[in-house]
Amino acid sequence: MWRIGRAALVLNRRQHTRLFSASIPGPCIVHKRGADILHDPWFNKDTGFPLTERDRLGLRGLLPPRIISFEQQYERFMESYRSLEKHTRGAPTNVVSLAKWRILNRLHDRNETLYYRVLIDNIEDFAPIIYTPTVGLVCQNYGGLFRRPRGMYFSAKDKGEMMSMIYNWPSPQVDMIVLTDGSRILGLGDLGVQGIGIPIGKLDMYVAAAGMNPQRILPVMLDVGTSNQKLLEDRLYLGLRQPRLEGEEYLSIVDEFMEAVHTRWPKAIVQFEDFQMKWAFETLHRYRKRFCMFNDDIQGTAGVALAGLLGAVRAQGRPLSDFVKQKIVVVGAGSAGIGVLTMAKQAVSRMAGNNEMAANNPFWLLDKDGLVTKDRKNIDPAAAPFARGFGLGEIDGLGEGASLVEVIKKVKPHVLLGLSGVGGIFNEEVSTIIYKHSLFIKFHREKYNTL
């Protein structure tokens, strides 16, 4: 069988080596025969089976007589893709993006080895198709695009059955699970079961860009209903037609799923993806010390953002210790914004000490209602630690609900992070003020003509 190759990694000086899991180190034993092989995208090679394999696997007569090599199939697909690009020029962007997604998805359904080879070799071109921004369109239109199930679906109707259901997945070993409940898909809100496109696309990226074994990944949709009335009335909607569960009913479903996964694959990583903020923080605190899990919107985004913030300090030729002197304004109090602030606060605390950070609080948080302060009524518990109060480190003239323009003028921040899905926040007025206060990081000025 064909292989998705990966070089061996030297782990230490003793020259112990470990192959990326995507590499198949020896002959692949196939327990299927005939049409079952051709209908299994992991084993199917289309017209690439040599005569010896056609005889051994009972494929004689089930395929055209000509044998077309893997490389020829690869070129044929790329020609089809380029032809699609040519014939859709001038068409609306959404139409072109979905057409590209369809041709890739058909290949995925038919021949996974060729599919992942295509992704690996053309990751820059195809990443926007299999994941953002096209995956948002796919999720919105999932009912009409659905052709073949991928991943697993656990619903509120399966309560009490998940421990047995988890063994329906055919792969004996799973290393990575991406889980969503569809409650906050990208900036699109509650898409219910249609959010399954996010775990599928994310894991395809992990295979193509990180070398994960495609047989050891599992996209999962946890369908607890939807509060999106438009979906409930859509005749093509494939999820539960009931309001989204809340409170203990909701948590009991997630609890049962996590116990089931841990029982079968105790070392599998469970990545929580696109959960609405209240459940994102609740589940992270609930499971992080019991299971191998993380929340990508909170921790993944925060890790990347912190790396960028520290890298920006170093790029200016300053020591990393100067990071504690940076005044940081974050626009957006969702899971990403709070996650970034939490990790940045931890970094400052370790560098400067808790007392100094408390005395010179370098963080300002804004949401749709403006600057978050301790005067706000019904403040979100997750945002409360970053609410500005009165005392040291405060700035006169800034009160509850102050606008972004007011905050920039008064604070003169070193860093401005936009982590909100609300459009129009960084308008011309804000951009002009940013320019005047020199907040643009002047990387690659000539190349990108930033200023």
Side-chain angles (χ1 to χ4, degrees):
M1 305 300 287
W2 295 319
R3 302 176 186 179
I4 301 176
R6 280 288 186 266
L9 292 179
V10 178
L11 292 183
N12 52 42
R13 294 179 181 177
R14 296 180 182 177
Q15 299 298 308
H16 290 304
T17 61
R18 170 187 168 192
L19 295 176
F20 274 117
S21 61
S23 177
I24 302 173
C28 183
I29 300 174
V30 182
H31 297 286
K32 296 184 177 184
R33 284 181 61 80
D36 287 342
I37 290 176
L38 300 180
H39 295 156
D40 188 328
W42 177 249
F43 295 112
N44 181 33
K45 297 195 291 187
D46 294 320
T47 52
F49 289 97
L51 290 178
T52 54
E53 287 188 357
R54 296 186 186 201
D55 285 336
R56 290 199 308 270
L57 300 174
L59 296 173
R60 282 253 186 189
L62 300 182
L63 291 165
R66 184 184 173 192
I67 299 169
I68 300 179
S69 69
F70 181 75
E71 289 72 21
Q72 289 173 312
Q73 291 183 46
Y74 180 96
E75 286 304 319
R76 182 175 63 184
F77 175 81
M78 292 307 298
E79 287 177 8
S80 297
Y81 186 83
R82 287 189 285 267
S83 177
L84 173 66
E85 285 188 312
K86 179 180 178 181
H87 287 95
T88 55
R89 286 176 186 166
T93 303
N94 289 1
V95 173
V96 175
S97 296
L98 285 178
K100 291 179 177 180
W101 179 86
R102 284 190 183 95
I103 193 173
L104 282 166
N105 192 59
R106 286 196 294 269
L107 179 61
H108 197 180
D109 288 344
R110 186 179 73 249
N111 186 332
E112 286 203 2
T113 306
L114 182 57
Y115 171 74
Y116 286 117
R117 169 66 183 275
V118 164
L119 290 189
I120 290 169
D121 287 356
N122 304 276
I123 188 65
E124 290 186 9
D125 293 328
F126 291 155
I129 304 301
I130 64 171
Y131 203 57
T132 52
T134 305
V135 71
L137 287 172
V138 172
C139 290
Q140 288 177 299
N141 297 277
Y142 182 74
L145 294 170
F146 179 86
R147 295 293 181 272
R148 179 180 182 272
R150 192 177 305 282
M152 291 195 76
Y153 299 78
F154 294 82
S155 79
K157 301 295 184 184
D158 298 317
K159 188 171 175 57
E161 302 294 334
M162 294 184 192
M163 191 64 74
S164 60
M165 288 170 60
I166 200 71
Y167 288 91
N168 290 339
W169 187 247
S171 181
Q173 183 59 47
V174 167
D175 298 329
M176 186 76 185
I177 295 170
V178 176
L179 168 73
T180 187
D181 67 350
S183 59
R184 192 199 59 81
I185 298 299
L186 303 175
L188 304 172
D190 183 356
L191 294 184
V193 78
Q194 300 188 163
I196 185 64
I198 293 293
I200 292 171
K202 178 83 64 164
L203 285 168
D204 280 350
M205 291 292 293
Y206 289 168
V207 171
M212 297 195 75
N213 187 335
Q215 280 196 312
R216 298 173 71 159
I217 60 174
L218 174 57
V220 174
M221 162 52 60
L222 200 62
D223 185 2
V224 293
T226 178
S227 298
N228 187 328
Q229 192 60 35
K230 184 178 178 181
L231 290 180
L232 293 174
E233 296 171 358
D234 185 352
R235 62 185 179 84
L236 295 179
Y237 182 62
L238 298 173
L240 293 181
R241 294 178 179 274
Q242 67 177 47
R244 183 173 289 277
L245 295 183
E246 296 290 344
E248 288 302 318
E249 283 187 298
Y250 174 90
L251 289 173
S252 67
I253 299 296
V254 188
D255 284 347
E256 185 176 342
F257 170 78
M258 293 298 290
E259 291 289 352
V261 166
H262 183 71
T263 299
R264 186 175 184 194
W265 303 301
K267 295 183 179 180
I269 301 171
V270 181
Q271 173 181 323
F272 281 62
E273 187 78 26
D274 285 0
F275 282 66
Q276 63 186 112
M277 189 171 76
K278 66 176 180 179
W279 293 126
F281 283 98
E282 174 72 22
T283 53
L284 178 61
H285 295 318
R286 191 178 183 91
Y287 303 124
R288 65 188 307 173
K289 294 183 180 179
R290 296 172 53 202
F291 304 112
C292 186
M293 62 80 64
F294 76 103
N295 185 290
D296 187 53
D297 302 296
I298 298 173
Q299 297 166 293
T301 303
V304 173
L306 180 60
L309 294 174
L310 295 174
V313 174
R314 178 175 287 175
Q316 296 172 53
R318 299 157 59 189
L320 285 182
S321 58
D322 278 4
F323 177 65
V324 302
K325 303 174 184 177
Q326 302 271 296
K327 290 181 286 187
I328 300 174
V329 171
V330 173
V331 184
S335 53
I338 299 298
V340 169
L341 280 174
T342 300
M343 191 166 287
K345 180 179 178 180
Q346 292 172 352
V348 170
S349 296
R350 290 178 181 177
M351 291 180 180
N354 289 321
N355 292 334
E356 184 177 339
M357 196 211 70
N360 300 285
N361 184 358
F363 305 114
W364 281 261
L365 175 64
L366 290 89
D367 63 6
K368 60 184 177 59
D369 298 317
L371 181 65
V372 178
T373 73
K374 294 180 180 178
D375 287 340
R376 178 167 300 191
K377 297 179 181 178
N378 301 319
I379 188 170
D380 191 292
F386 304 100
R388 303 298 301 196
F390 299 99
L392 292 175
E394 298 307 321
I395 295 176
D396 291 337
L398 283 183
E400 166 60 32
S403 69
L404 178 58
V405 170
E406 293 176 301
V407 172
I408 293 175
K409 287 181 177 179
K410 295 285 186 178
V411 175
K412 294 183 173 57
H414 300 91
V415 178
L416 177 60
L417 293 176
L419 294 163
S420 171
V422 179
I425 292 177
F426 295 96
N427 53 31
E428 184 176 352
E429 183 183 10
V430 172
S431 300
T432 301
I433 296 171
I434 291 174
Y435 179 84
K436 288 181 178 179
H437 291 297
S438 302
L439 294 177
F440 286 124
I441 298 174
K442 302 178 180 67
F443 292 144
H444 313 299
R445 179 184 297 185
E446 294 181 0
K447 182 177 180 181
Y448 294 106
N449 193 25
T450 303
L451 297 177

